[in-house]
Amino acid sequence: MTFDSKIFVAGHCGMVGSAIVRRLEREGFSRIIVRSRRELDLRGRVAVREFFAEVRPDVVIDAAARVGGIMANSEKPVEFLLENLAIQNNVIEASADYGVQKLLFLGSSCIYPKLAPQPIREESLLSGPLEPTNEAYAIAKIAGIKLCQAYAREYGKPFISAMPTNLYGPKDNFDLHTSHVLPALIRKVHEAKKNGASEIVVWGSGSPRREFLHADDLADASLFLLQAHEPVDLVNIGCGEDLTIRELAETVCRVLEFSGQPVFDTSKPDGTPRKLLDIGRIRAMGWKPSIPLEVGIKKTYEWFIAFSEGF
Ligand code: GDP
């Protein structure tokens, strides 16, 4: 990848895609190509092929996906499967057919088995049953990894799959029903402060452990992988540390200067008990994250305050 490369960022309106575009711009890449959903529906094979035939990107970053938290995933398995399979099949196939030199396919740590040994190494893929609450998304993403690996093996394509841990940051989804836990907690604490409440309701038992990475750190890792010379097919991206949901809730309360308490609604699902990635592979290549959780939460809250009119 050079500063002259035509780089197509699929999903640039989302949290991950927009972080990657910001980073590419900051680094001085001048030929960044984006299309809104209205301009190009990535679920349509013909439209995607026409776009690739016309634009001929050199590099593709596939950050486009239907994503959502534990509730959204378990309530909409059909949409999570169909939309993600369609988007990634179209983008990966067109990248291969229209001469893309490098492709980065982004997934998530939920592709690994529910009870994978912790921290989870890339080798754990397909070694056991998945967590049922996000199985549809995971199956789609696993198919995407396998497609990239198949293109590498059969046609020598340098397609990389990167699996980030739970992400957060600006442009995250703050809808309490469909969001992931960190934006939900930020919003709940913000509203509790505004309403003078003394507690926030946290789903589940508080005991599951999760790892969190700021989207800007993922953008940094994405550029690093695209510029690396070593061949890599599947790579985890995380911060290497996890905490319980209770500790996370307490951290959000502290960073947002809320003196109330988290209380736990155990009628809501816990999901997988632990999901800490082994980041030895990307560390050995020379990458490490740089945004501590408390700093990242503070930055995300500042974004939320600035852009949350209407919340
Ligand atoms: P997951 O990592 O795929 O399970 O996705 P989530 O980010 O949605 O949930 C992570 C954990 O946070 C689960 O144990 C949830 O039960 C818990 N959690 C606690 N409060 C909330 C909340 O308000 N929203 C969400 N989405 N999860 C919550």
Side-chain angles (χ1 to χ4, degrees):
M1 186 165 79
T2 67
F3 287 106
D4 275 347
S5 301
K6 264 193 202 174
I7 307 171
F8 173 46
V9 182
H12 76 287
C13 289
M15 174 178 69
V16 170
S18 60
I20 290 172
V21 169
R22 273 198 307 277
R23 182 57 194 264
L24 287 167
E25 284 172 349
R26 209 181 78 198
E27 294 290 322
F29 290 92
S30 56
R31 300 169 84 195
I32 307 165
I33 296 153
V34 296
R35 289 290 182 275
S36 68
R37 200 170 302 184
R38 214 173 315 130
E39 290 165 331
L40 176 63
D41 185 340
L42 295 168
R43 295 169 301 182
R45 184 167 180 270
V46 172
V48 171
R49 293 183 76 79
E50 280 170 7
F51 163 76
F52 272 76
E54 185 199 323
V55 172
R56 299 264 169 188
D58 303 306
V59 175
V60 169
I61 301 169
D62 185 5
R66 183 179 180 120
V67 296
I70 195 161
M71 280 298 176
N73 255 278
S74 47
E75 287 174 358
K76 291 273 175 208
V78 170
E79 290 75 8
F80 272 80
L81 263 171
L82 285 181
E83 291 184 25
N84 286 318
L85 284 169
I87 293 169
Q88 71 203 29
N89 283 348
N90 294 338
V91 171
I92 297 169
E93 186 194 19
S95 296
D97 291 348
Y98 293 99
V100 167
Q101 290 152 21
K102 231 166 194 187
L103 173 134
L104 180 68
F105 172 63
L106 292 164
S108 132
S109 57
C110 70
I111 55 147
Y112 291 115
K114 179 182 173 92
L115 300 176
Q118 307 280 325
I120 311 171
R121 293 161 55 100
E122 289 85 351
E123 289 79 2
S124 288
L125 184 67
L126 290 175
S127 62
L130 298 164
E131 156 60 35
T133 51
N134 49 32
E135 192 183 66
Y137 176 86
I139 293 273
K141 288 291 173 182
I142 292 170
I145 296 168
K146 289 289 156 191
L147 187 58
C148 288
Q149 288 176 337
Y151 268 118
R153 200 175 63 229
E154 197 176 330
Y155 297 105
K157 299 286 179 188
F159 291 176
I160 307 166
S161 298
M163 298 301 123
T165 192
N166 291 33
L167 298 166
Y168 69 98
K171 298 200 90 170
D172 207 343
N173 169 15
F174 288 85
D175 175 287
L176 288 182
H177 189 66
T178 56
S179 72
H180 285 102
V181 58
L182 193 33
L185 292 177
I186 289 176
R187 181 161 179 192
K188 285 177 183 178
V189 170
H190 173 73
E191 284 176 3
K193 275 174 63 170
K194 216 168 60 183
N195 301 331
S198 59
E199 53 187 40
I200 56 157
V201 177
V202 179
W203 294 354
S205 64
S207 59
R209 302 184 70 88
R210 293 289 185 274
E211 175 191 14
F212 297 92
L213 186 76
H214 194 282
D216 288 347
D217 266 339
L218 174 62
D220 188 55
S222 299
L223 261 66
F224 173 84
L225 288 171
L226 286 167
Q227 290 170 312
H229 295 297
E230 301 161 53
V232 56
D233 67 341
L234 173 61
V235 60
N236 290 339
I237 308 177
C239 69
E241 284 170 28
D242 63 0
L243 73 176
T244 65
I245 296 299
R246 175 187 288 276
E247 289 164 343
L248 177 72
E250 288 165 355
T251 305
V252 174
C253 290
R254 195 170 56 246
V255 173
L256 272 56
E257 296 174 357
F258 172 59
S259 52
Q261 294 297 317
V263 294
F264 294 88
D265 173 2
T266 50
S267 71
K268 293 285 197 302
D270 267 347
T272 198
R274 195 176 184 201
K275 208 163 51 166
L276 175 65
L277 290 179
D278 184 316
I279 55 168
R281 191 172 284 181
I282 194 165
R283 265 191 193 278
M285 292 172 74
W287 182 83
K288 58 179 182 2
S290 66
I291 305 174
L293 183 59
E294 297 208 2
V295 174
I297 293 174
K298 192 160 185 289
K299 278 170 59 173
T300 306
Y301 186 49
E302 284 162 6
W303 179 89
F304 175 81
I305 296 291
F307 292 92
S308 67
E309 269 120 74
F311 273 119

